[in-house]
Amino acid sequence: MILVTGGTGFIGSHTVVELFEEGMDVLIADNLSNSYADVIDRIEKITGKRPMFEEIDLAKSEKADLLFEKYPNIKAIIHFAASKAVGESVEKPLLYYMNNLNSLMNVLENMKRHSINNIVFSSSCTVYGEPDELPVHEQSPIKIANSPYGNTKQISEEILKDISKISPDMNIISLRYFNPIGAHQSSLIGELPIGIPNNLVPYITQTGYGIREELTVFGDDYNTPDGSAVRDYIDVVDLSRAHIVAIHRLLNNENKKNYEVFNLGTGTGSSVFEVINAFKKASGLKIKYKISGRREGDIEKVWADTSFANKELGWKAETSLEQSLKTAWDWENYYRKNLENK
Ligand code: UD1
């Protein structure tokens, strides 16, 4: 059985679908702080299988202990559960440190206690900060974090590395995600931020649907071809599939070291204006936008060198930006028409 923490969230839910497609058993642990329990029904609708589910806050050690006692058959863990809003983390640093670090430590403590040796950790390209050279590869320098959120990812990676040094039996993979977007082909699961979206693509799809009046482009004076900031947008289904490869790698002892790190991106950077244009092609809609100053904490440009993940994992992102925006748009429509208020 694979324990997926944060399994009702955006990337978590898509990964659970892929795990089921692989014939694996799945237990989800999630505190539903940024997701809804009916995601489980929709995972069942897509796959015909229902994941086991525990609503639990893993940052509370006694709750985490009970979970691991109740399920003695966990073979590997994918640890998604974490808070991820950069701006909020600046306002509430303690919340982020407590939530993201305590939950990781409680998971690790229980892994030790129950001799569970395999974990895939959700890390982020945020660990690279504003890179000096592009694209960034796994050995690129880790820069001082721009936010408490980014710092929790850096500290988490440090914790995992330290543990790998003294525990040769522990097998750990950190996956550094670039910017996950898109939704499942079925339109039954997708990104569903609670409240006003922080991230670009849900803001665009909500503007397209008429929920938001207009998009604000945060800065057009960056040192980039069109002046807007550049990111590496990776499709969530492609991203989820990388987790399946990572889990197989751990369960089959194919890992080369007991702590490995991989970039998960497409290898291509896209500017905010390019995303707006690709959305127009995907949806036929020209969304209204205005330009404001830069958002605090934002970096100018980052995209991934994916050659290590491509070679070592035999994995590659396949979905185009336009295709991802199409599935994100289909999901927004399906959700608003069929799921919201039900
Ligand atoms: C950041 C983190 C990422 C983290 C994610 C979680 C970095 C480099 N990346 O992503 O690790 O997982 O937050 O939330 O720290 N934009 C607009 N208008 C909007 C929203 C966004 O112009 O309304 C722009 C941003 O300025 C940015 C791009 O769109 O240039 C992408 O923003 P967003 O989707 O929020 O992701 P990141 O900030 O790159």
Side-chain angles (χ1 to χ4, degrees):
M1 176 197 290
I2 313 293
L3 168 62
V4 182
T5 76
T8 51
F10 175 40
I11 311 171
S13 57
H14 288 79
T15 302
V16 171
V17 167
E18 297 301 319
L19 287 166
F20 274 152
E21 308 287 353
E22 285 291 299
M24 295 184 180
D25 288 334
V26 179
L27 164 65
I28 293 177
D30 200 306
N31 67 356
L32 302 178
S33 61
N34 197 27
S35 59
Y36 298 97
D38 68 344
V39 165
I40 294 160
D41 301 331
R42 288 184 266 127
I43 290 172
E44 188 177 9
K45 216 165 165 184
I46 296 170
T47 63
K49 289 182 211 161
R50 192 171 182 83
M52 284 169 278
F53 173 63
E54 295 287 340
E55 183 179 342
I56 168 184
D57 184 353
L58 287 164
K60 299 206 167 74
S61 63
E62 64 285 0
K63 300 273 178 180
D65 295 352
L66 284 175
L67 178 82
F68 283 86
E69 272 159 34
K70 187 169 169 189
Y71 296 94
N73 291 327
I74 298 168
K75 297 279 175 284
I77 297 164
I78 309 181
H79 184 51
F80 291 106
S83 305
K84 62 148 199 139
V86 176
E88 185 187 44
S89 80
V90 177
E91 302 297 319
K92 302 174 186 167
L94 202 51
L95 177 77
Y96 272 66
Y97 288 116
M98 293 218 290
N99 207 6
N100 292 5
L101 298 181
N102 285 346
S103 61
L104 175 65
M105 289 190 287
N106 289 335
V107 165
L108 290 169
E109 178 66 21
N110 275 289
M111 288 178 73
K112 191 163 113 196
R113 198 175 293 155
H114 297 275
S115 304
I116 302 165
N117 290 327
N118 303 306
I119 181 165
V120 176
F121 175 69
S122 293
S123 190
S124 165
C125 71
T126 195
V127 301
Y128 298 115
E130 183 80 67
D132 297 325
E133 280 176 28
L134 286 164
V136 283
H137 53 79
E138 288 79 355
Q139 272 70 48
S140 294
I142 302 296
K143 295 291 193 63
I144 290 176
N146 273 357
S147 67
Y149 159 75
N151 211 15
T152 67
K153 293 297 175 191
Q154 293 189 356
I155 296 168
S156 296
E157 286 199 13
E158 292 294 330
I159 292 171
L160 292 167
K161 209 191 300 166
D162 287 345
I163 287 174
S164 73
K165 284 182 196 151
I166 50 123
S167 314
D169 291 341
M170 273 288 276
N171 293 310
I172 304 167
I173 294 180
S174 282
L175 298 176
R176 291 180 180 155
Y177 313 148
F178 283 67
N179 286 56
I181 60 164
H184 193 261
Q185 292 286 349
S186 64
S187 296
L188 286 165
I189 51 173
E191 190 169 9
L192 189 58
I194 292 177
I196 300 170
N198 291 301
N199 296 109
L200 179 63
V201 169
Y203 208 105
I204 288 178
T205 56
Q206 289 193 13
T207 307
Y209 199 79
I211 297 164
R212 312 277 155 213
E213 202 184 317
E214 63 180 349
L215 172 74
T216 304
V217 176
F218 298 136
D220 68 348
D221 59 350
Y222 283 108
N223 182 24
T224 58
D226 64 21
S228 65
V230 170
R231 298 287 185 275
D232 186 337
Y233 295 93
I234 170 153
D235 189 80
V236 68
V237 175
D238 286 341
L239 190 71
S240 299
R241 289 191 183 131
H243 291 75
I244 308 307
V245 178
I247 282 289
H248 280 310
R249 186 175 175 91
L250 294 180
L251 292 176
N252 300 335
N253 288 312
E254 289 162 359
N255 47 321
K256 304 263 163 70
K257 295 189 217 150
N258 74 331
Y259 180 62
E260 295 182 317
V261 179
F262 296 99
N263 279 347
L264 297 184
T266 65
T268 304
S270 305
S271 71
V272 176
F273 291 126
E274 282 172 333
V275 176
I276 294 171
N277 284 333
F279 180 73
K280 190 174 152 203
K281 284 192 192 144
S283 67
L285 287 178
K286 205 172 161 191
I287 59 156
K288 212 172 139 196
Y289 66 82
K290 66 166 188 252
I291 294 164
S292 77
R294 298 177 179 190
R295 182 171 67 176
E296 205 181 331
D298 266 352
I299 60 155
E300 185 166 87
K301 51 191 171 213
V302 67
W303 61 92
D305 180 334
T306 61
S307 51
F308 186 58
N310 298 157
K311 185 167 155 278
E312 270 300 311
L313 298 178
W315 166 91
K316 205 172 183 325
E318 284 162 5
T319 312
S320 70
L321 177 62
E322 202 180 311
Q323 285 169 327
S324 296
L325 291 167
K326 172 83 171 74
T327 53
W329 176 234
D330 288 346
W331 155 248
E332 184 75 57
N333 280 281
Y334 184 86
Y335 178 78
R336 299 296 161 196
K337 289 181 187 133
N338 302 292
L339 300 171
E340 199 180 24
N341 307 322
K342 287 212 175 122

